[in-house]
Amino acid sequence: MITVAGSASGKLAARVAKSLGCPLVKAEVTRFPDGESYVRADHDFRDEHAIIVQSTCYPQNDNLIELFLLLDTAKDLGAKRVTAVVPYFGYARQDKRFKPGEAVSVRTMCKLIERAGADDIFTVDIHEEEIMANFAIPAYNLTAMSLIGRYVERLDLRDPVVLAPDQGALRHAKRAAAEFMADYDYLYKTRQTSTRVTMRPKRLDVSRRDVVIVDDIISTGGTVIEAVKILKKQGARDIYAACTHPVLAGGALRKIIAAGARKVIATDTIEHKTSVVSVAPVIAEAIR
Ligand code: R5P
């Protein structure tokens, strides 16, 4: 077995290789003068099981091309099995034709990953579980929520509540909270008048309690910022924002902290300064 690190996931790939106890090959990635990607993975792949680790975060299109080239190269050089590990799966939120004529982008990405040579694929907390059904190869969606829960447990919070920003994310809150037997709930919107909507936890009172908001992804930060502001008004003490994928586009981290969150806690599916939890153990365990 050999782990190959794509340029978007160098640190995570090294952690996965360490957990699996196998060698690591760091792909050489540069550019041709005209801007095309050049990729080289200098290793004898014959009869190896190659694990290609590459998130397709920003710059998404470059990282995708690199992933396709690495999968195809490992196969072409004789790997007996090629596993794609795409910890953050870009384009996952364009999973429907919301307007006539739109590309269902994630479906195209699934086809291309498979066609490039993946024999199986692992990802983490993908936007919708159903996306995995686009693959004909074995496809596994892992979760980082237990790891996030274990990290939060070490913060020794006061009377903690784990909150999902909406009902769709409740399963994440439940999983993280289970690690330290905390209460969990989700933020529920109620329409008071035609112009006034209020938001509050569905069952629990957060006053004088520490709160951890958990979601799969923080992108612009809009969802979390709205939640932080409301929870502050409702008397929450320290508020933490936790997610699997710290996309954190356009100054989101600064805005979340300015809104009153104490800290943003994220994983290394996207390698960022907030990535304090590594998903390597769940990936290695699943591959094993
Ligand atoms: C929505 O379905 C997701 O779970 C996140 O809540 C959302 O993508 C976060 O986006 P933003 O940070 O831009 O509000």
mmCIF file with all atom_site columns, all heavy atoms in Angstrom, residues 93 127 215-223, ligand 1:
data_model
loop_
_atom_site.group_PDB
_atom_site.id
_atom_site.type_symbol
_atom_site.label_atom_id
_atom_site.label_alt_id
_atom_site.label_comp_id
_atom_site.label_asym_id
_atom_site.label_entity_id
_atom_site.label_seq_id
_atom_site.pdbx_PDB_ins_code
_atom_site.Cartn_x
_atom_site.Cartn_y
_atom_site.Cartn_z
_atom_site.occupancy
_atom_site.B_iso_or_equiv
_atom_site.pdbx_formal_charge
_atom_site.auth_seq_id
_atom_site.auth_comp_id
_atom_site.auth_asym_id
_atom_site.auth_atom_id
_atom_site.pdbx_PDB_model_num
ATOM   1  N N   . ARG A 1 93  ? -22.435 21.046 -3.588 1.00 0.00 ? 93  ARG A N   1
ATOM   2  C CA  . ARG A 1 93  ? -23.672 21.782 -3.322 1.00 0.00 ? 93  ARG A CA  1
ATOM   3  C C   . ARG A 1 93  ? -24.488 22.055 -4.588 1.00 0.00 ? 93  ARG A C   1
ATOM   4  O O   . ARG A 1 93  ? -25.635 22.446 -4.498 1.00 0.00 ? 93  ARG A O   1
ATOM   5  C CB  . ARG A 1 93  ? -23.355 23.077 -2.551 1.00 0.00 ? 93  ARG A CB  1
ATOM   6  C CG  . ARG A 1 93  ? -23.070 22.754 -1.074 1.00 0.00 ? 93  ARG A CG  1
ATOM   7  C CD  . ARG A 1 93  ? -22.710 23.967 -0.272 1.00 0.00 ? 93  ARG A CD  1
ATOM   8  N NE  . ARG A 1 93  ? -21.414 24.502 -0.685 1.00 0.00 ? 93  ARG A NE  1
ATOM   9  C CZ  . ARG A 1 93  ? -20.924 25.665 -0.278 1.00 0.00 ? 93  ARG A CZ  1
ATOM   10 N NH1 . ARG A 1 93  ? -21.626 26.405 0.534  1.00 0.00 ? 93  ARG A NH1 1
ATOM   11 N NH2 . ARG A 1 93  ? -19.738 26.074 -0.678 1.00 0.00 ? 93  ARG A NH2 1
ATOM   12 N N   . HIS A 1 127 ? -22.039 16.986 1.382  1.00 0.00 ? 127 HIS A N   1
ATOM   13 C CA  . HIS A 1 127 ? -23.235 17.819 1.537  1.00 0.00 ? 127 HIS A CA  1
ATOM   14 C C   . HIS A 1 127 ? -24.518 16.996 1.682  1.00 0.00 ? 127 HIS A C   1
ATOM   15 O O   . HIS A 1 127 ? -25.312 17.236 2.593  1.00 0.00 ? 127 HIS A O   1
ATOM   16 C CB  . HIS A 1 127 ? -23.309 18.774 0.353  1.00 0.00 ? 127 HIS A CB  1
ATOM   17 C CG  . HIS A 1 127 ? -24.468 19.691 0.400  1.00 0.00 ? 127 HIS A CG  1
ATOM   18 N ND1 . HIS A 1 127 ? -24.683 20.533 1.463  1.00 0.00 ? 127 HIS A ND1 1
ATOM   19 C CD2 . HIS A 1 127 ? -25.496 19.875 -0.457 1.00 0.00 ? 127 HIS A CD2 1
ATOM   20 C CE1 . HIS A 1 127 ? -25.793 21.213 1.244  1.00 0.00 ? 127 HIS A CE1 1
ATOM   21 N NE2 . HIS A 1 127 ? -26.307 20.830 0.088  1.00 0.00 ? 127 HIS A NE2 1
ATOM   22 N N   . ASP A 1 215 ? -21.764 22.239 12.018 1.00 0.00 ? 215 ASP A N   1
ATOM   23 C CA  . ASP A 1 215 ? -22.302 22.129 10.664 1.00 0.00 ? 215 ASP A CA  1
ATOM   24 C C   . ASP A 1 215 ? -21.287 21.359 9.833  1.00 0.00 ? 215 ASP A C   1
ATOM   25 O O   . ASP A 1 215 ? -20.129 21.220 10.232 1.00 0.00 ? 215 ASP A O   1
ATOM   26 C CB  . ASP A 1 215 ? -22.532 23.541 10.097 1.00 0.00 ? 215 ASP A CB  1
ATOM   27 C CG  . ASP A 1 215 ? -23.683 23.582 9.093  1.00 0.00 ? 215 ASP A CG  1
ATOM   28 O OD1 . ASP A 1 215 ? -24.139 22.510 8.660  1.00 0.00 ? 215 ASP A OD1 1
ATOM   29 O OD2 . ASP A 1 215 ? -24.115 24.697 8.745  1.00 0.00 ? 215 ASP A OD2 1
ATOM   30 N N   . ASP A 1 216 ? -21.709 20.901 8.657  1.00 0.00 ? 216 ASP A N   1
ATOM   31 C CA  . ASP A 1 216 ? -20.743 20.206 7.801  1.00 0.00 ? 216 ASP A CA  1
ATOM   32 C C   . ASP A 1 216 ? -19.724 21.186 7.219  1.00 0.00 ? 216 ASP A C   1
ATOM   33 O O   . ASP A 1 216 ? -18.551 20.872 7.086  1.00 0.00 ? 216 ASP A O   1
ATOM   34 C CB  . ASP A 1 216 ? -21.453 19.420 6.673  1.00 0.00 ? 216 ASP A CB  1
ATOM   35 C CG  . ASP A 1 216 ? -22.401 20.277 5.840  1.00 0.00 ? 216 ASP A CG  1
ATOM   36 O OD1 . ASP A 1 216 ? -22.775 21.374 6.291  1.00 0.00 ? 216 ASP A OD1 1
ATOM   37 O OD2 . ASP A 1 216 ? -22.782 19.841 4.736  1.00 0.00 ? 216 ASP A OD2 1
ATOM   38 N N   . ILE A 1 217 ? -20.196 22.389 6.883  1.00 0.00 ? 217 ILE A N   1
ATOM   39 C CA  . ILE A 1 217 ? -19.337 23.321 6.155  1.00 0.00 ? 217 ILE A CA  1
ATOM   40 C C   . ILE A 1 217 ? -19.620 24.756 6.621  1.00 0.00 ? 217 ILE A C   1
ATOM   41 O O   . ILE A 1 217 ? -20.760 25.093 6.917  1.00 0.00 ? 217 ILE A O   1
ATOM   42 C CB  . ILE A 1 217 ? -19.612 23.148 4.645  1.00 0.00 ? 217 ILE A CB  1
ATOM   43 C CG1 . ILE A 1 217 ? -18.874 24.142 3.771  1.00 0.00 ? 217 ILE A CG1 1
ATOM   44 C CG2 . ILE A 1 217 ? -21.059 23.222 4.289  1.00 0.00 ? 217 ILE A CG2 1
ATOM   45 C CD1 . ILE A 1 217 ? -18.965 23.782 2.277  1.00 0.00 ? 217 ILE A CD1 1
ATOM   46 N N   . ILE A 1 218 ? -18.562 25.537 6.754  1.00 0.00 ? 218 ILE A N   1
ATOM   47 C CA  . ILE A 1 218 ? -18.770 26.988 6.911  1.00 0.00 ? 218 ILE A CA  1
ATOM   48 C C   . ILE A 1 218 ? -18.164 27.615 5.670  1.00 0.00 ? 218 ILE A C   1
ATOM   49 O O   . ILE A 1 218 ? -16.959 27.503 5.431  1.00 0.00 ? 218 ILE A O   1
ATOM   50 C CB  . ILE A 1 218 ? -18.121 27.551 8.188  1.00 0.00 ? 218 ILE A CB  1
ATOM   51 C CG1 . ILE A 1 218 ? -18.658 26.846 9.441  1.00 0.00 ? 218 ILE A CG1 1
ATOM   52 C CG2 . ILE A 1 218 ? -18.399 29.053 8.284  1.00 0.00 ? 218 ILE A CG2 1
ATOM   53 C CD1 . ILE A 1 218 ? -18.022 27.315 10.758 1.00 0.00 ? 218 ILE A CD1 1
ATOM   54 N N   . SER A 1 219 ? -19.014 28.245 4.896  1.00 0.00 ? 219 SER A N   1
ATOM   55 C CA  . SER A 1 219 ? -18.535 28.814 3.628  1.00 0.00 ? 219 SER A CA  1
ATOM   56 C C   . SER A 1 219 ? -18.405 30.332 3.762  1.00 0.00 ? 219 SER A C   1
ATOM   57 O O   . SER A 1 219 ? -17.361 30.840 4.152  1.00 0.00 ? 219 SER A O   1
ATOM   58 C CB  . SER A 1 219 ? -19.499 28.406 2.509  1.00 0.00 ? 219 SER A CB  1
ATOM   59 O OG  . SER A 1 219 ? -19.039 28.889 1.281  1.00 0.00 ? 219 SER A OG  1
ATOM   60 N N   . THR A 1 220 ? -19.483 31.074 3.531  1.00 0.00 ? 220 THR A N   1
ATOM   61 C CA  . THR A 1 220 ? -19.414 32.532 3.719  1.00 0.00 ? 220 THR A CA  1
ATOM   62 C C   . THR A 1 220 ? -19.494 32.883 5.200  1.00 0.00 ? 220 THR A C   1
ATOM   63 O O   . THR A 1 220 ? -19.205 34.000 5.597  1.00 0.00 ? 220 THR A O   1
ATOM   64 C CB  . THR A 1 220 ? -20.590 33.233 3.024  1.00 0.00 ? 220 THR A CB  1
ATOM   65 O OG1 . THR A 1 220 ? -21.810 32.776 3.635  1.00 0.00 ? 220 THR A OG1 1
ATOM   66 C CG2 . THR A 1 220 ? -20.622 32.925 1.541  1.00 0.00 ? 220 THR A CG2 1
ATOM   67 N N   . GLY A 1 221 ? -19.971 31.942 6.004  1.00 0.00 ? 221 GLY A N   1
ATOM   68 C CA  . GLY A 1 221 ? -20.156 32.192 7.431  1.00 0.00 ? 221 GLY A CA  1
ATOM   69 C C   . GLY A 1 221 ? -21.537 32.741 7.759  1.00 0.00 ? 221 GLY A C   1
ATOM   70 O O   . GLY A 1 221 ? -21.897 32.871 8.941  1.00 0.00 ? 221 GLY A O   1
ATOM   71 N N   . GLY A 1 222 ? -22.331 33.040 6.742  1.00 0.00 ? 222 GLY A N   1
ATOM   72 C CA  . GLY A 1 222 ? -23.642 33.657 6.960  1.00 0.00 ? 222 GLY A CA  1
ATOM   73 C C   . GLY A 1 222 ? -24.523 32.873 7.936  1.00 0.00 ? 222 GLY A C   1
ATOM   74 O O   . GLY A 1 222 ? -25.130 33.460 8.845  1.00 0.00 ? 222 GLY A O   1
ATOM   75 N N   . THR A 1 223 ? -24.571 31.568 7.770  1.00 0.00 ? 223 THR A N   1
ATOM   76 C CA  . THR A 1 223 ? -25.431 30.714 8.616  1.00 0.00 ? 223 THR A CA  1
ATOM   77 C C   . THR A 1 223 ? -24.983 30.801 10.073 1.00 0.00 ? 223 THR A C   1
ATOM   78 O O   . THR A 1 223 ? -25.793 31.011 10.988 1.00 0.00 ? 223 THR A O   1
ATOM   79 C CB  . THR A 1 223 ? -25.348 29.250 8.116  1.00 0.00 ? 223 THR A CB  1
ATOM   80 O OG1 . THR A 1 223 ? -25.624 29.233 6.718  1.00 0.00 ? 223 THR A OG1 1
ATOM   81 C CG2 . THR A 1 223 ? -26.293 28.339 8.858  1.00 0.00 ? 223 THR A CG2 1
HETATM 82 C C1  . R5P B 2 .   ? -26.100 24.011 4.183  1.00 0.00 ? 1   R5P B C1  1
HETATM 83 O O1  . R5P B 2 .   ? -26.787 23.106 3.736  1.00 0.00 ? 1   R5P B O1  1
HETATM 84 C C2  . R5P B 2 .   ? -24.799 23.697 4.824  1.00 0.00 ? 1   R5P B C2  1
HETATM 85 O O2  . R5P B 2 .   ? -24.934 22.691 5.773  1.00 0.00 ? 1   R5P B O2  1
HETATM 86 C C3  . R5P B 2 .   ? -24.191 24.923 5.494  1.00 0.00 ? 1   R5P B C3  1
HETATM 87 O O3  . R5P B 2 .   ? -25.056 25.359 6.526  1.00 0.00 ? 1   R5P B O3  1
HETATM 88 C C4  . R5P B 2 .   ? -23.989 26.046 4.533  1.00 0.00 ? 1   R5P B C4  1
HETATM 89 O O4  . R5P B 2 .   ? -23.432 25.602 3.327  1.00 0.00 ? 1   R5P B O4  1
HETATM 90 C C5  . R5P B 2 .   ? -23.091 27.100 5.140  1.00 0.00 ? 1   R5P B C5  1
HETATM 91 O O5  . R5P B 2 .   ? -22.896 28.123 4.223  1.00 0.00 ? 1   R5P B O5  1
HETATM 92 P P1  . R5P B 2 .   ? -22.550 29.591 4.696  1.00 0.00 ? 1   R5P B P1  1
HETATM 93 O O6  . R5P B 2 .   ? -21.362 29.511 5.598  1.00 0.00 ? 1   R5P B O6  1
HETATM 94 O O7  . R5P B 2 .   ? -22.239 30.307 3.398  1.00 0.00 ? 1   R5P B O7  1
HETATM 95 O O8  . R5P B 2 .   ? -23.754 30.149 5.369  1.00 0.00 ? 1   R5P B O8  1
#
